[in-house]
Amino acid sequence: MILGIETSCDETSVALLDSDGTVRVNLIASQIERHRPFGGVVPEIASREHLQHLFPLVSRALDDVHASWSDIEKIAVTAGPGLIGALLVGVAGAQGLSYALGVPLIAVNHLEGHLFSPYLQRDGAAVPLPDRFLSFVISGGHSSIYDVRGGEVTMLNRTRDDAIGETFDKVAKFIGLPYPGGPQIEKRACDGRIDRDRFPFPMPQFKDQSLDFSYSGIKAEAIRSARQQKIRVEGDPRALADFCATFQEALFAQLFDRLDAIWSRLREPMPAQVVMAGGVAANGALRDKIIAWGEGRGVIVRLPEKRYCTDNAAMIAFAGLQRTAMAGDPRRVTARSRVA
Ligand code: KG4
Ligand code: ZN
């Protein structure tokens, strides 16, 4: 079995996977309630919480699957990117365990964890990775589309300013919704109507034809119109719902604008699948949209189960397994320069 450890941000997570990628257990100790009074993640609180929860969580995971310490054959841990103090708790803990148990330690890039997470499904059992797929990583810290070919990862674009999840969180905070903002906005948007005349959000385009994302313009417009039209959580619920529906739609429209442009620039052999990962990929409206996009083009779309969209250790262990499987392969997993 492989033990996965994730402590890069505000969730302490521990998972045990069989070596074929089957998830035996995936535990998450969320700190959201501890950070909520501050409207965002407080790094010092995050580190302390990880320290408190990490080892009890590993013991509980072993108990849950009736396994013992000697069943752990290797350990995968998130080594970055993330909050430095939070990462240190996970890495130091994993190093100690690796030394004590005499098992190898695999340092995993958090983004690689998200990138491969759509293949962690079907009741926990992994499905085979295609030769080529496009992967969106859309979370609180990242917004990028990657081209994954034979295990080699190429970043095709990235955000020039805010990440999409960060934009959800900041605008939600401005209108008085609790952290994290994404699920809160989604909930309000369900009852809303898209009204682009009332809320005219921009579609950013760059003069140099770059396909990068940019969310600061939508954020600024959201804050401007919310202030001007007095959109608040304690205000008119209809107006709030319409605002959330239109704002969310504008954020997603940009994802599809870039996807269409990237798709038209790709050369054969075309990617067999398009996948989405990261916290924002848990959004129901977005999931429906990407499924419809795939149906329209005859492209298979894969989405992680919602519990594997937000940060979790199962995806870290799974990426660790991918990495070891590819260790003898010259096509190594590395994030290379952008091509778009
Ligand atoms: O992947 P994640 O757990 O952590 C990072 O690596 O950043 O993503 C967290 C982000 C937050 O910004 C949160 O608001 C957003 O994902 N998020 C959502 C939804 N669930 C989480 N955004 C939109 N709709 C959701 N249902
Ligand atoms: Zn993440």
Side-chain angles (χ1 to χ4, degrees), residues 112-161:
E112 262 176 41
H114 281 302
L115 205 63
F116 294 112
S117 64
Y119 294 95
L120 239 189
Q121 43 190 356
R122 302 265 150 88
D123 295 326
V127 288
L129 268 67
D131 288 340
R132 186 178 189 191
F133 63 97
L134 283 195
S135 181
F136 279 82
V137 178
I138 39 177
S139 68
H142 296 90
S143 318
S144 278
I145 301 176
Y146 295 89
D147 185 359
V148 188
R149 240 176 146 166
E152 186 165 314
V153 181
T154 306
M155 185 168 67
L156 299 181
N157 74 346
R158 61 177 176 175
T159 178
R160 293 215 176 166
D161 37 62

Side-chain angles (χ1 to χ4, degrees), residues 193-261:
R193 195 174 48 93
I194 294 167
D195 187 346
R196 294 193 193 88
D197 294 329
R198 182 169 178 189
F199 306 111
F201 291 109
M203 169 67 77
Q205 302 291 356
F206 295 108
K207 288 203 185 82
D208 61 2
Q209 310 291 310
S210 157
L211 296 178
D212 280 348
F213 294 119
S214 168
Y215 285 105
S216 63
I218 299 181
K219 179 185 67 181
E221 176 54 30
I223 290 176
R224 192 197 64 77
S225 56
R227 182 178 286 133
Q228 197 184 48
Q229 302 189 42
K230 304 200 171 20
I231 308 290
R232 289 283 307 169
V233 66
E234 64 276 10
D236 174 12
R238 245 301 25 106
L240 176 69
D242 290 355
F243 171 84
C244 288
T246 317
F247 167 65
Q248 176 176 280
E249 204 265 343
L251 295 177
F252 297 159
Q254 197 183 146
L255 298 179
F256 289 93
D257 177 77
R258 294 337 193 225
L259 174 59
D260 284 336

Side-chain angles (χ1 to χ4, degrees), residues 6 8-11 81 110-111 114 137-142 163-170 172 179-187 248 251-252 277-286 306 308-312 315:
E6 154 66 38
S8 68
C9 191
D10 59 347
E11 257 125 13
H110 183 80
L111 295 174
H114 281 302
V137 178
I138 39 177
S139 68
H142 296 90
I164 182 167
E166 184 184 4
T167 313
F168 266 111
D169 296 340
K170 286 180 175 167
Y179 173 84
Q184 295 286 333
I185 296 220
E186 176 181 18
K187 206 158 82 189
Q248 176 176 280
L251 295 177
F252 297 159
V280 179
N283 185 288
L286 177 60
K306 291 193 181 180
Y308 298 135
C309 286
T310 43
D311 291 346
N312 66 87
M315 71 179 191

